[in-house]
Amino acid sequence: MLSEADNQLLCRVEGDAPMGRMLRDNFWVPAIRSARLEPDGAPIRLKFFGDDYVVFRSTDGRVGFFDEACPHRRASMALGRNEGNGLRCIFHGWKIDVSGKVVEMPNEHRDPERMCAKVKVGHYPTREVVGMVWVYLGAKAEPPPLQNFEFMTLPEEHVRILTVDIPCNWINSVEASIDDAHVGILHASFMDVYKDRRPHEVVAGPPAYEVDQHPYGFQGTVLRSLPGGRSMASSTHFAMPWFGFTSTGRPDAPGATRRAVHVAIPIDDYNYRQVFFSYDVNSPAENFFAGATEYDQDNFAPPLGGPETVWGQDREAMKNGHFSGFLSNLTSEDTAIQMSQGAIPDRTHEVLCSSDKAIGFMRHTLIQAARDYQAGKVPLGAAPGIDWSKIRSRLAFVEPGENWRDKLAAAPDFRVPAVALT
Ligand code: FES
Ligand SMILES: [Fe+2]
């Protein structure tokens, strides 16, 4: 449960909302898959934090990321011609080169060169890492370093990226990414796929949560009792500001070198872009997205409906044994739930229980980061020197009398050597 004021502080990102400012100023945004952009191809419209942008790949392969509105009279630059290493507005022909300078102004007869030099274009630095365009939308003159997550240091073919835009607030999704307690219940009908890695009867049991704070966010460890006094410890991680490292499988099962990171980027207050980075530290990543056979990588789990169709739920399928009635894939179960919670859920009327410990912790971590930012302090995750590449989920079986922290720390993690990203 949160106060209304804290809920607003947590969720709102548009304009001068402190959370949006904190996010933009301190963190790079995974914006769009690199493969979507072709040299001299159609520019693509994007919206983040309520602001409209346009992204394109120039003739020589560089990426340009501008405010969508033409600096002249605000026509959409998404209508522009992408040519000669720049974008040309089709209204009066102003051309902005890929670095964000106005270089041609064909409708100015007095002193076009001087006029060009005077115009300020909203343009943003980008980096391309593991097949993703990352953009810095903040106000700092010197952008912070990119977070050097493990998956960002792998060969590109080891990483698979899936994205989809969902009509609800980003926090609904961040919560789901660290909520291990729902996995064996909401996703019960998809758990067969993972049965070698996470036995369903174990995953469905009530979890005890332990939370350990770190400079990157926190580790939430789920402890579940097994027959014979043993227990299973499984860690998830919340990494500032929107990364959820979901639970992994048992280290001795096939596919133990696979991992997944779930990201929720605010499009505006009522929509978010979900990005999944699935990766294999040892080999090229296959399709290990449960339940999906064919899908569009850039719209991999589109919403099946809104409240008027009960979010597209299939009651017939439920009669025939499907637990949730969302057949297409596991993510459609998550997104239907998230939309049903409300575009911004009323968190003043929740009743939280013990398995919501990590959820509460994440909310307060982000709220504190926004408050620290407002107070001129360095928010969590923005201090220099954090080694993000060390973050990974682990699973360990713990015998009676053993310490679960020691067992988890000793679990094989198949690490790849860290690489610094600048
Ligand atoms: S509005 Fe773009 S050149 Fe006039
Ligand atoms: Fe889920």
Side-chain angles (χ1 to χ4, degrees):
M1 180 170 147
L2 282 181
S3 70
E4 183 54 20
D6 279 358
N7 197 26
Q8 297 293 321
L9 179 60
L10 177 66
C11 295
R12 301 262 176 203
V13 293
E14 295 180 25
D16 282 330
M19 185 64 77
R21 291 260 162 240
M22 185 278 287
L23 295 169
R24 272 173 281 188
D25 271 6
N26 293 289
F27 299 97
W28 288 71
V29 174
I32 188 168
R33 286 193 314 116
S34 290
R36 296 275 311 276
L37 305 176
E38 293 198 0
D40 286 344
I44 294 179
R45 302 178 65 234
L46 291 173
K47 185 190 280 246
F48 294 113
F49 308 102
D51 292 328
D52 294 305
Y53 303 101
V54 68
V55 60
F56 66 101
R57 192 181 297 284
S58 67
T59 319
D60 63 8
R62 285 176 289 165
V63 173
F65 204 108
F66 302 161
D67 287 337
E68 182 183 3
C70 174
H72 179 217
R73 280 172 42 207
R74 305 190 63 77
S76 172
M77 293 301 287
L79 296 166
R81 296 178 61 85
N82 183 7
E83 57 192 18
N85 288 321
L87 212 51
R88 185 186 299 283
C89 179
I90 58 170
F91 198 0
H92 310 94
W94 286 24
K95 181 174 177 188
I96 306 172
D97 78 7
V98 65
S99 71
K101 285 196 208 73
V102 179
V103 289
E104 288 178 37
M105 199 176 275
N107 60 335
E108 171 59 49
H109 77 278
R110 273 175 302 193
D111 187 351
E113 238 168 71
R114 209 188 54 130
M115 269 299 287
C116 281
K118 272 186 17 189
V119 181
K120 272 207 163 35
V121 178
H123 70 283
Y124 306 87
T126 59
R127 297 280 309 276
E128 289 190 271
V129 182
V130 289
M132 193 68 172
V133 174
W134 302 72
V135 64
Y136 177 68
L137 299 171
K140 289 184 181 170
E142 188 62 41
L146 262 178
Q147 290 160 286
N148 67 330
F149 290 114
E150 179 187 45
F151 68 91
M152 293 168 72
T153 66
L154 293 172
E156 199 171 313
E157 63 275 17
H158 287 219
V159 183
R160 272 192 79 77
I161 303 170
L162 299 173
T163 75
V164 62
D165 293 349
I166 300 296
C168 67
N169 183 260
W170 67 295
I171 293 293
N172 297 19
S173 178
V174 179
E175 289 180 350
S177 73
I178 52 166
D179 178 19
D180 198 89
H182 83 280
V183 176
I185 300 172
L186 175 65
H187 304 312
S189 295
F190 288 103
M191 282 300 103
D192 255 9
V193 181
Y194 296 122
K195 66 179 182 308
D196 292 342
R197 303 177 61 195
R198 270 161 64 96
H200 175 222
E201 60 278 14
V202 175
V203 179
Y209 257 97
E210 296 283 349
V211 170
D212 295 309
Q213 261 183 297
H214 290 283
Y216 63 77
F218 63 84
Q219 171 177 316
T221 306
V222 181
L223 299 163
R224 287 188 165 94
S225 303
L226 302 176
R230 298 170 80 217
S231 59
M232 184 178 83
S234 171
S235 64
T236 56
H237 298 261
F238 168 70
M240 284 290 288
W242 39 46
F243 297 92
F245 287 69
T246 53
S247 311
T248 183
R250 45 192 303 165
D252 53 347
T257 52
R258 295 170 180 175
R259 318 193 210 278
V261 182
H262 173 290
V263 194
I265 309 294
I267 292 173
D268 56 24
D269 287 348
Y270 303 114
N271 294 273
Y272 78 92
R273 168 159 292 189
Q274 186 171 115
V275 183
F276 270 123
F277 293 99
S278 318
Y279 58 103
D280 194 313
V281 293
N282 281 355
S283 53
E286 302 153 30
N287 170 21
F288 50 92
F289 180 52
T293 45
E294 287 193 19
Y295 50 85
D296 174 352
Q297 261 184 283
D298 304 298
N299 187 26
F300 77 98
L304 302 174
E308 61 298 334
T309 59
V310 199
W311 295 276
Q313 191 179 39
D314 183 343
R315 286 272 160 187
E316 254 334 279
M318 292 170 81
K319 273 192 206 146
N320 294 328
H322 196 275
F323 178 77
S324 73
F326 293 94
L327 300 187
S328 51
N329 60 55
L330 179 151
T331 297
S332 62
E333 299 180 317
D334 286 314
T335 52
I337 289 289
Q338 290 163 28
M339 288 187 283
S340 78
Q341 289 176 296
I344 292 185
D346 177 1
R347 293 190 172 87
T348 65
H349 282 94
E350 297 171 322
V351 180
L352 299 184
C353 70
S354 60
S355 79
D356 297 310
K357 192 167 175 180
I359 306 286
F361 215 85
M362 180 277 294
R363 293 174 182 174
H364 285 107
T365 300
L366 277 172
I367 288 170
Q368 190 58 46
R371 290 214 172 102
D372 285 346
Y373 171 83
Q374 270 183 305
K377 296 187 204 157
V378 178
L380 191 79
I386 296 174
D387 186 358
W388 305 86
S389 73
K390 288 205 175 102
I391 304 171
R392 64 187 51 79
S393 296
R394 298 174 195 224
L395 184 145
F397 293 96
V398 185
E399 302 300 328
E402 285 183 329
N403 179 309
W404 64 262
R405 279 193 175 83
D406 295 342
K407 284 301 284 262
L408 263 191
D413 73 352
F414 314 104
R415 269 199 81 180
V416 291
V419 174
L421 296 170
T422 51

